[in-house]
Amino acid sequence: MKDILDKLDERRAEARLGGGDKRIEAQHKRGKLTARERIELLLDKDSFEEIDMFVEHRSADFGMEKQKIPGDGVVTGWGTINGRTVYLFSKDFTVFGGSLSEAHAQKIMKVQDMAMKARCPIIGVFDAGGARIQEGVAALGGYGEVFKRNVIASGVIPQISVIMGPCAGGDVYSPAMTDFIFMVRDTSYMFVTGPDVVKTVTNEVVTAEELGGASVHTAKSGVADGSFENDVDCLLQMRRLMDFLPSNFEAGPPTWPSFADIDAIDESLDTLVPDNPNKPYDIKELITKVVDEGDFFELSAAYAKNIVIGFGRVAGSTVGFVANQPMVLAGVLDSDASRKAARFVRFCDAFNIPIVTFVDVPGFLPGTDQEYGGLIKHGAKLLFAYSQCTVPLVTVITRKAFGGAYDVMASKHVGGDLNYAWPTAQIAVMGAKGAVEIIFRGGTPEQIAAQTKQYEDRFLSPFVAAERGYIDDVIMPHSTRKRIARALAMLKNKHAEMPRRKHDNLPV
Ligand code: HXC
C-alpha cells in the first residue's frame, strides 16, 4: 500500500515541476512567477483544489509522443478568495510555452463548465505562445470550444482575464470576450499577430511592447482595464476586485462589514465645485468621499480619462460609479469615453450592481475627428446601455449637464430612479455664450452680454429641471453620501423588466 501512496506522491511532484527547474528559473529571471505560484497568491491559503493534474496531450507528430508533461501546460481547479469560491486556469509557460493543445483546451473547458454549473466566477491567467504548433487544427478546434463557452457564460458569471506574459494568436480572443482584462507592466503583451508577422505583412518594424504592451492596451486601445507593476501586485489587486463582484447574475452584490458612518456629512464637498464654471476639479474626490472607507477600485484609469468608472461600496454593498471627469477635456463625452462607460454600465446591469452616476458634462466632443470615428454610434452605446438598465440608477448632477449628454448620463428620461442636483448644477441645451450667439446672431456685444446674463440666470441652474420634476431634489453637496445611501437602500428591491425578445441590438 505504501508503494502505491508513494507513487501518487511521485506523480504529483512530477506534475508540479511542470517544464522543470531550468525553465522555472528562466521564468523567475524574467520577473515572472510560475503558474502554481500565481495560484497560491491569488487564492486563500491552502484553498486550491487542482483537477486534471495528470492530463497529457495525445499528439504523436513531430516527436511529441516522446515529450509528455503531466498537466499539459495549464493548471486548473478551484479555490476561494476571502472565502468565496472561484474557478481558475493558469497557463504554465514552462510547459510547451503554455501553448494550447486539444487536451489543454479540454482542461479549460472543464473548469468553464464547472464554474457555470456552480454559478461561480472564473479567472484565467495567461502566459502562453498561442496554439500548440505541433497540433494544428486540433488546437484551433479547442480554441473555438473555449470561445463558445466564454460567450455562453457572459452575463451569467463574472469572467476575468489576467495577462502575465505573452498572449498571442488564439489566446487573445478568449480574454477579449471576458468581462475584464488586466496586465502586468513590462512582462506581458497581447496581439493577434506578433512583430514578425507584422514585419512580413506591412513591413512595419515594431517591438512586442510597442505592439501590445500594457501601456498600449491600457491607454491607447482600451483593450485592458488596468495594469500593475508586477505579478504579486496584480494578483493581490485581483483579490481586491473579486471582493466587489457578485458570484453570478442572480446572487446580488456581495456585502462586507462596513464601519463607515452613512449619516456622516462632509463639509469639504460644499466647496468642491469652483466658483468659476470653467475651472476643473477632481471628480474622484467626490467618489472617494462617497464610498465606504474611501475604497474605490478604478477601471480603465489610463484610457478615456474624461470619464471615470469603477467599483466602490456604500453601506457595505458594491456600487458601480460612472462620473464625468472635469479635469480631462472638461469631462466631455467622446467616442472612447462613451464606449468605456457603456461597457461598464452593461456589466453592472448584467450582474445586478446598482449604478451611481456623477454628471458634469459640457456635451459631446465636436469635430471631424469624432464624427468620422463614429461618435454617433459610440455615443449611442452609452445611451443604449443606460436606457436598458433595470438596476437601481442614482444620478447626481454636480455642475454642467448640457445637451444630449444630459439625457445620456442616466437622466430621468432614460430610467434614472433618483436624480439629484447640487445647487451648482447647470442643466441646459448648451452653455450660455454658445446659446446666445445662435439665438441672437448679429447682436451687438452689449446685447449679447445682456442676453447671456439673462440666459444664465434663467437656465443655468438646477431649478428649471427641478420645476418639471426631472430632478427629484436639489441636495446639499455635504449630504451626498447620506442621500445616495438612502436612495440605494430604498431601491434595494427595485423590480423592472425590459420586454421579452430574443436579444436587443446594441449599436456595436
Ligand atoms: C508549441 C511553443 C509555442 C507554440 C512557444 N513554444 N510557443 N510550443 N506551440 N505555439 C515553446 C517553445 O518551443 C519553447 O520550448 C518554449 O515554448 C518557450 O518558447 P521560446 O520561444 O523559447 O520563448 P520566448 O523567447 O520567451 O518567446 C515566447 C513566444 C514565442 C513569443 C511566445 O515562443 C513565440 O512566438 N511562439 C509562437 C507564437 C505563435 O505564433 N503561436 C501560434 C499563434 S497562431 P522549449 O522546449 O525550448 O522550452 C494561433 C492561431 C489560433 O494561436 C487562432 C484561433 C482563433
Side-chain angles (χ1 to χ4, degrees), residues 23 30 93 96-97 99 128-134 140 143 147 166 168-170 189:
R23 290 191 183 91
R30 288 179 164 142
F93 189 77
F96 308 118
S99 57
R132 179 87 44 89
I133 294 166
Q134 296 91 333
L140 299 188
Y143 271 125
F147 299 157
Y189 45 87

PDB file of all heavy atoms in Angstrom, residues 23 30 93 96-97 99 128-134 140 143 147 166 168-170 189, ligand 1:
ATOM      1  N   ARG A  23      13.552  25.715 -16.666  1.00  0.00           N
ATOM      2  CA  ARG A  23      12.545  26.631 -17.239  1.00  0.00           C
ATOM      3  C   ARG A  23      11.891  27.483 -16.137  1.00  0.00           C
ATOM      4  O   ARG A  23      11.527  28.630 -16.367  1.00  0.00           O
ATOM      5  CB  ARG A  23      11.494  25.852 -18.019  1.00  0.00           C
ATOM      6  CG  ARG A  23      12.039  25.239 -19.315  1.00  0.00           C
ATOM      7  CD  ARG A  23      10.907  24.711 -20.170  1.00  0.00           C
ATOM      8  NE  ARG A  23      11.388  24.057 -21.374  1.00  0.00           N
ATOM      9  CZ  ARG A  23      11.671  22.753 -21.470  1.00  0.00           C
ATOM     10  NH1 ARG A  23      11.563  21.962 -20.405  1.00  0.00           N
ATOM     11  NH2 ARG A  23      12.077  22.240 -22.607  1.00  0.00           N
ATOM     12  N   ARG A  30      12.884  36.315 -15.631  1.00  0.00           N
ATOM     13  CA  ARG A  30      12.138  37.321 -16.383  1.00  0.00           C
ATOM     14  C   ARG A  30      11.225  38.156 -15.470  1.00  0.00           C
ATOM     15  O   ARG A  30      10.433  38.969 -15.948  1.00  0.00           O
ATOM     16  CB  ARG A  30      11.261  36.658 -17.428  1.00  0.00           C
ATOM     17  CG  ARG A  30      12.034  36.096 -18.580  1.00  0.00           C
ATOM     18  CD  ARG A  30      11.067  35.445 -19.528  1.00  0.00           C
ATOM     19  NE  ARG A  30      11.671  35.218 -20.812  1.00  0.00           N
ATOM     20  CZ  ARG A  30      11.448  34.138 -21.550  1.00  0.00           C
ATOM     21  NH1 ARG A  30      10.624  33.213 -21.105  1.00  0.00           N
ATOM     22  NH2 ARG A  30      12.021  33.997 -22.719  1.00  0.00           N
ATOM     23  N   PHE A  93       3.811  28.506 -18.617  1.00  0.00           N
ATOM     24  CA  PHE A  93       4.718  28.811 -19.729  1.00  0.00           C
ATOM     25  C   PHE A  93       5.899  27.844 -19.783  1.00  0.00           C
ATOM     26  O   PHE A  93       6.519  27.673 -20.837  1.00  0.00           O
ATOM     27  CB  PHE A  93       5.222  30.265 -19.629  1.00  0.00           C
ATOM     28  CG  PHE A  93       5.988  30.715 -20.838  1.00  0.00           C
ATOM     29  CD1 PHE A  93       5.330  31.056 -22.011  1.00  0.00           C
ATOM     30  CD2 PHE A  93       7.381  30.765 -20.829  1.00  0.00           C
ATOM     31  CE1 PHE A  93       6.039  31.438 -23.155  1.00  0.00           C
ATOM     32  CE2 PHE A  93       8.101  31.149 -21.962  1.00  0.00           C
ATOM     33  CZ  PHE A  93       7.416  31.486 -23.123  1.00  0.00           C
ATOM     34  N   PHE A  96       5.755  23.575 -22.869  1.00  0.00           N
ATOM     35  CA  PHE A  96       5.467  23.921 -24.275  1.00  0.00           C
ATOM     36  C   PHE A  96       5.019  25.378 -24.406  1.00  0.00           C
ATOM     37  O   PHE A  96       4.089  25.706 -25.159  1.00  0.00           O
ATOM     38  CB  PHE A  96       4.385  23.003 -24.860  1.00  0.00           C
ATOM     39  CG  PHE A  96       4.658  21.541 -24.680  1.00  0.00           C
ATOM     40  CD1 PHE A  96       3.801  20.738 -23.931  1.00  0.00           C
ATOM     41  CD2 PHE A  96       5.795  20.949 -25.240  1.00  0.00           C
ATOM     42  CE1 PHE A  96       4.070  19.387 -23.750  1.00  0.00           C
ATOM     43  CE2 PHE A  96       6.060  19.595 -25.063  1.00  0.00           C
ATOM     44  CZ  PHE A  96       5.200  18.809 -24.315  1.00  0.00           C
ATOM     45  N   GLY A  97       5.633  26.258 -23.644  1.00  0.00           N
ATOM     46  CA  GLY A  97       5.305  27.684 -23.711  1.00  0.00           C
ATOM     47  C   GLY A  97       3.845  27.968 -23.386  1.00  0.00           C
ATOM     48  O   GLY A  97       3.289  28.974 -23.837  1.00  0.00           O
ATOM     49  N   SER A  99       1.381  26.664 -24.513  1.00  0.00           N
ATOM     50  CA  SER A  99       0.564  26.635 -25.744  1.00  0.00           C
ATOM     51  C   SER A  99      -0.620  25.683 -25.605  1.00  0.00           C
ATOM     52  O   SER A  99      -0.585  24.735 -24.821  1.00  0.00           O
ATOM     53  CB  SER A  99       1.431  26.241 -26.943  1.00  0.00           C
ATOM     54  OG  SER A  99       2.033  24.990 -26.707  1.00  0.00           O
ATOM     55  N   ALA A 128       1.407  32.558 -22.484  1.00  0.00           N
ATOM     56  CA  ALA A 128       1.450  31.442 -23.438  1.00  0.00           C
ATOM     57  C   ALA A 128       1.738  31.871 -24.865  1.00  0.00           C
ATOM     58  O   ALA A 128       1.556  33.038 -25.228  1.00  0.00           O
ATOM     59  CB  ALA A 128       0.107  30.711 -23.399  1.00  0.00           C
ATOM     60  N   GLY A 129       2.143  30.889 -25.645  1.00  0.00           N
ATOM     61  CA  GLY A 129       2.521  31.134 -27.049  1.00  0.00           C
ATOM     62  C   GLY A 129       1.444  30.808 -28.063  1.00  0.00           C
ATOM     63  O   GLY A 129       1.755  30.550 -29.218  1.00  0.00           O
ATOM     64  N   GLY A 130       0.176  30.768 -27.664  1.00  0.00           N
ATOM     65  CA  GLY A 130      -0.919  30.557 -28.615  1.00  0.00           C
ATOM     66  C   GLY A 130      -1.163  29.081 -28.895  1.00  0.00           C
ATOM     67  O   GLY A 130      -0.906  28.212 -28.052  1.00  0.00           O
ATOM     68  N   ALA A 131      -1.635  28.783 -30.098  1.00  0.00           N
ATOM     69  CA  ALA A 131      -1.992  27.407 -30.463  1.00  0.00           C
ATOM     70  C   ALA A 131      -0.745  26.509 -30.466  1.00  0.00           C
ATOM     71  O   ALA A 131       0.323  26.935 -30.924  1.00  0.00           O
ATOM     72  CB  ALA A 131      -2.620  27.400 -31.849  1.00  0.00           C
ATOM     73  N   ARG A 132      -0.866  25.273 -29.955  1.00  0.00           N
ATOM     74  CA  ARG A 132       0.248  24.315 -29.982  1.00  0.00           C
ATOM     75  C   ARG A 132       0.546  24.012 -31.444  1.00  0.00           C
ATOM     76  O   ARG A 132      -0.255  23.362 -32.137  1.00  0.00           O
ATOM     77  CB  ARG A 132      -0.139  23.053 -29.211  1.00  0.00           C
ATOM     78  CG  ARG A 132       0.911  21.951 -29.165  1.00  0.00           C
ATOM     79  CD  ARG A 132       1.904  22.080 -28.024  1.00  0.00           C
ATOM     80  NE  ARG A 132       1.360  22.407 -26.734  1.00  0.00           N
ATOM     81  CZ  ARG A 132       0.928  21.526 -25.812  1.00  0.00           C
ATOM     82  NH1 ARG A 132       0.950  20.243 -26.070  1.00  0.00           N
ATOM     83  NH2 ARG A 132       0.500  21.949 -24.638  1.00  0.00           N
ATOM     84  N   ILE A 133       1.693  24.500 -31.893  1.00  0.00           N
ATOM     85  CA  ILE A 133       2.002  24.441 -33.315  1.00  0.00           C
ATOM     86  C   ILE A 133       2.028  22.999 -33.832  1.00  0.00           C
ATOM     87  O   ILE A 133       1.568  22.711 -34.937  1.00  0.00           O
ATOM     88  CB  ILE A 133       3.341  25.179 -33.599  1.00  0.00           C
ATOM     89  CG1 ILE A 133       3.139  26.675 -33.291  1.00  0.00           C
ATOM     90  CG2 ILE A 133       3.788  24.986 -35.033  1.00  0.00           C
ATOM     91  CD1 ILE A 133       4.410  27.487 -33.198  1.00  0.00           C
ATOM     92  N   GLN A 134       2.470  22.070 -32.994  1.00  0.00           N
ATOM     93  CA  GLN A 134       2.563  20.662 -33.415  1.00  0.00           C
ATOM     94  C   GLN A 134       1.192  20.027 -33.609  1.00  0.00           C
ATOM     95  O   GLN A 134       1.087  18.948 -34.178  1.00  0.00           O
ATOM     96  CB  GLN A 134       3.340  19.843 -32.370  1.00  0.00           C
ATOM     97  CG  GLN A 134       4.795  20.255 -32.202  1.00  0.00           C
ATOM     98  CD  GLN A 134       4.988  21.324 -31.131  1.00  0.00           C
ATOM     99  OE1 GLN A 134       4.083  22.104 -30.863  1.00  0.00           O
ATOM    100  NE2 GLN A 134       6.171  21.387 -30.557  1.00  0.00           N
ATOM    101  N   LEU A 140      -6.869  24.552 -32.905  1.00  0.00           N
ATOM    102  CA  LEU A 140      -7.837  25.581 -33.327  1.00  0.00           C
ATOM    103  C   LEU A 140      -9.239  25.223 -32.859  1.00  0.00           C
ATOM    104  O   LEU A 140      -9.994  26.072 -32.382  1.00  0.00           O
ATOM    105  CB  LEU A 140      -7.827  25.746 -34.848  1.00  0.00           C
ATOM    106  CG  LEU A 140      -6.516  26.191 -35.487  1.00  0.00           C
ATOM    107  CD1 LEU A 140      -6.726  26.484 -36.964  1.00  0.00           C
ATOM    108  CD2 LEU A 140      -5.952  27.421 -34.800  1.00  0.00           C
ATOM    109  N   TYR A 143      -9.624  26.034 -29.229  1.00  0.00           N
ATOM    110  CA  TYR A 143      -9.889  27.469 -29.002  1.00  0.00           C
ATOM    111  C   TYR A 143     -11.365  27.790 -29.221  1.00  0.00           C
ATOM    112  O   TYR A 143     -11.992  28.476 -28.412  1.00  0.00           O
ATOM    113  CB  TYR A 143      -9.047  28.337 -29.941  1.00  0.00           C
ATOM    114  CG  TYR A 143      -7.692  28.692 -29.383  1.00  0.00           C
ATOM    115  CD1 TYR A 143      -6.534  28.414 -30.090  1.00  0.00           C
ATOM    116  CD2 TYR A 143      -7.581  29.324 -28.150  1.00  0.00           C
ATOM    117  CE1 TYR A 143      -5.286  28.730 -29.582  1.00  0.00           C
ATOM    118  CE2 TYR A 143      -6.340  29.649 -27.634  1.00  0.00           C
ATOM    119  CZ  TYR A 143      -5.191  29.356 -28.341  1.00  0.00           C
ATOM    120  OH  TYR A 143      -3.974  29.678 -27.831  1.00  0.00           O
ATOM    121  N   PHE A 147     -13.904  29.615 -26.718  1.00  0.00           N
ATOM    122  CA  PHE A 147     -14.577  30.889 -27.057  1.00  0.00           C
ATOM    123  C   PHE A 147     -16.087  30.768 -26.868  1.00  0.00           C
ATOM    124  O   PHE A 147     -16.735  31.650 -26.313  1.00  0.00           O
ATOM    125  CB  PHE A 147     -14.327  31.282 -28.517  1.00  0.00           C
ATOM    126  CG  PHE A 147     -12.870  31.493 -28.880  1.00  0.00           C
ATOM    127  CD1 PHE A 147     -12.447  31.373 -30.208  1.00  0.00           C
ATOM    128  CD2 PHE A 147     -11.930  31.827 -27.923  1.00  0.00           C
ATOM    129  CE1 PHE A 147     -11.119  31.573 -30.561  1.00  0.00           C
ATOM    130  CE2 PHE A 147     -10.602  32.030 -28.256  1.00  0.00           C
ATOM    131  CZ  PHE A 147     -10.196  31.900 -29.585  1.00  0.00           C
ATOM    132  N   PRO A 166       3.374  36.461 -22.511  1.00  0.00           N
ATOM    133  CA  PRO A 166       2.860  36.581 -23.870  1.00  0.00           C
ATOM    134  C   PRO A 166       1.408  36.113 -23.962  1.00  0.00           C
ATOM    135  O   PRO A 166       0.999  35.219 -23.222  1.00  0.00           O
ATOM    136  CB  PRO A 166       3.769  35.668 -24.683  1.00  0.00           C
ATOM    137  CG  PRO A 166       4.588  34.898 -23.727  1.00  0.00           C
ATOM    138  CD  PRO A 166       4.515  35.555 -22.394  1.00  0.00           C
ATOM    139  N   ALA A 168      -0.896  35.679 -27.398  1.00  0.00           N
ATOM    140  CA  ALA A 168      -0.930  35.980 -28.825  1.00  0.00           C
ATOM    141  C   ALA A 168      -1.822  34.996 -29.555  1.00  0.00           C
ATOM    142  O   ALA A 168      -2.179  33.954 -29.015  1.00  0.00           O
ATOM    143  CB  ALA A 168       0.489  35.910 -29.395  1.00  0.00           C
ATOM    144  N   GLY A 169      -2.156  35.353 -30.789  1.00  0.00           N
ATOM    145  CA  GLY A 169      -2.936  34.450 -31.634  1.00  0.00           C
ATOM    146  C   GLY A 169      -4.253  34.092 -30.964  1.00  0.00           C
ATOM    147  O   GLY A 169      -4.993  34.946 -30.480  1.00  0.00           O
ATOM    148  N   GLY A 170      -4.524  32.785 -30.922  1.00  0.00           N
ATOM    149  CA  GLY A 170      -5.788  32.304 -30.372  1.00  0.00           C
ATOM    150  C   GLY A 170      -6.015  32.722 -28.933  1.00  0.00           C
ATOM    151  O   GLY A 170      -7.159  32.823 -28.491  1.00  0.00           O
ATOM    152  N   TYR A 189       2.251  41.032 -22.891  1.00  0.00           N
ATOM    153  CA  TYR A 189       1.813  41.694 -24.115  1.00  0.00           C
ATOM    154  C   TYR A 189       0.758  40.859 -24.816  1.00  0.00           C
ATOM    155  O   TYR A 189       0.709  39.644 -24.673  1.00  0.00           O
ATOM    156  CB  TYR A 189       2.980  42.011 -25.064  1.00  0.00           C
ATOM    157  CG  TYR A 189       3.963  40.897 -25.261  1.00  0.00           C
ATOM    158  CD1 TYR A 189       3.766  39.929 -26.238  1.00  0.00           C
ATOM    159  CD2 TYR A 189       5.106  40.807 -24.470  1.00  0.00           C
ATOM    160  CE1 TYR A 189       4.672  38.908 -26.425  1.00  0.00           C
ATOM    161  CE2 TYR A 189       6.015  39.766 -24.638  1.00  0.00           C
ATOM    162  CZ  TYR A 189       5.796  38.815 -25.616  1.00  0.00           C
ATOM    163  OH  TYR A 189       6.674  37.786 -25.809  1.00  0.00           O
TER     164      TYR A 189
HETATM  165  C1  HXC B   1       4.357  24.877 -29.236  1.00  0.00           C
HETATM  166  C2  HXC B   1       5.611  26.534 -28.263  1.00  0.00           C
HETATM  167  C3  HXC B   1       4.725  27.513 -28.793  1.00  0.00           C
HETATM  168  C4  HXC B   1       3.629  27.074 -29.583  1.00  0.00           C
HETATM  169  C5  HXC B   1       6.258  28.519 -27.654  1.00  0.00           C
HETATM  170  N1  HXC B   1       6.549  27.219 -27.566  1.00  0.00           N
HETATM  171  N2  HXC B   1       5.184  28.739 -28.411  1.00  0.00           N
HETATM  172  N3  HXC B   1       5.414  25.221 -28.471  1.00  0.00           N
HETATM  173  N4  HXC B   1       3.487  25.740 -29.760  1.00  0.00           N
HETATM  174  N5  HXC B   1       2.757  27.929 -30.085  1.00  0.00           N
HETATM  175  C6  HXC B   1       7.609  26.592 -26.824  1.00  0.00           C
HETATM  176  C7  HXC B   1       8.981  26.786 -27.463  1.00  0.00           C
HETATM  177  O1  HXC B   1       9.227  25.775 -28.411  1.00  0.00           O
HETATM  178  C8  HXC B   1       9.892  26.672 -26.235  1.00  0.00           C
HETATM  179  O2  HXC B   1      10.034  25.315 -25.927  1.00  0.00           O
HETATM  180  C9  HXC B   1       9.078  27.291 -25.125  1.00  0.00           C
HETATM  181  O3  HXC B   1       7.726  27.221 -25.554  1.00  0.00           O
HETATM  182  C10 HXC B   1       9.444  28.719 -24.854  1.00  0.00           C
HETATM  183  O4  HXC B   1       9.410  29.436 -26.075  1.00  0.00           O
HETATM  184  P1  HXC B   1      10.577  30.446 -26.504  1.00  0.00           P
HETATM  185  O5  HXC B   1      10.336  30.811 -27.898  1.00  0.00           O
HETATM  186  O6  HXC B   1      11.892  29.874 -26.133  1.00  0.00           O
HETATM  187  O7  HXC B   1      10.292  31.651 -25.502  1.00  0.00           O
HETATM  188  P2  HXC B   1      10.357  33.199 -25.788  1.00  0.00           P
HETATM  189  O8  HXC B   1      11.627  33.557 -26.458  1.00  0.00           O
HETATM  190  O9  HXC B   1      10.047  33.846 -24.482  1.00  0.00           O
HETATM  191  O10 HXC B   1       9.157  33.511 -26.790  1.00  0.00           O
HETATM  192  C11 HXC B   1       7.854  33.283 -26.416  1.00  0.00           C
HETATM  193  C12 HXC B   1       6.942  33.468 -27.634  1.00  0.00           C
HETATM  194  C13 HXC B   1       7.462  32.577 -28.803  1.00  0.00           C
HETATM  195  C14 HXC B   1       6.922  34.935 -28.048  1.00  0.00           C
HETATM  196  C15 HXC B   1       5.531  33.072 -27.186  1.00  0.00           C
HETATM  197  O11 HXC B   1       7.666  31.256 -28.322  1.00  0.00           O
HETATM  198  C16 HXC B   1       6.526  32.543 -29.949  1.00  0.00           C
HETATM  199  O12 HXC B   1       6.484  33.444 -30.775  1.00  0.00           O
HETATM  200  N6  HXC B   1       5.781  31.436 -30.052  1.00  0.00           N
HETATM  201  C17 HXC B   1       4.902  31.188 -31.159  1.00  0.00           C
HETATM  202  C18 HXC B   1       3.747  32.095 -31.133  1.00  0.00           C
HETATM  203  C19 HXC B   1       2.776  31.786 -32.208  1.00  0.00           C
HETATM  204  O13 HXC B   1       2.971  32.134 -33.352  1.00  0.00           O
HETATM  205  N7  HXC B   1       1.761  30.993 -31.843  1.00  0.00           N
HETATM  206  C20 HXC B   1       0.790  30.485 -32.749  1.00  0.00           C
HETATM  207  C21 HXC B   1      -0.224  31.583 -32.881  1.00  0.00           C
HETATM  208  S1  HXC B   1      -1.421  31.155 -34.035  1.00  0.00           S
HETATM  209  P3  HXC B   1      11.313  24.737 -25.156  1.00  0.00           P
HETATM  210  O14 HXC B   1      11.152  23.264 -25.205  1.00  0.00           O
HETATM  211  O15 HXC B   1      12.508  25.245 -25.903  1.00  0.00           O
HETATM  212  O16 HXC B   1      11.239  25.286 -23.768  1.00  0.00           O
HETATM  213  C22 HXC B   1      -2.736  30.878 -33.136  1.00  0.00           C
HETATM  214  C23 HXC B   1      -3.914  30.627 -34.008  1.00  0.00           C
HETATM  215  C24 HXC B   1      -5.144  30.358 -33.202  1.00  0.00           C
HETATM  216  O17 HXC B   1      -2.716  30.884 -31.963  1.00  0.00           O
HETATM  217  C25 HXC B   1      -6.292  31.123 -33.767  1.00  0.00           C
HETATM  218  C26 HXC B   1      -7.572  30.742 -33.114  1.00  0.00           C
HETATM  219  C27 HXC B   1      -8.615  31.754 -33.402  1.00  0.00           C
END
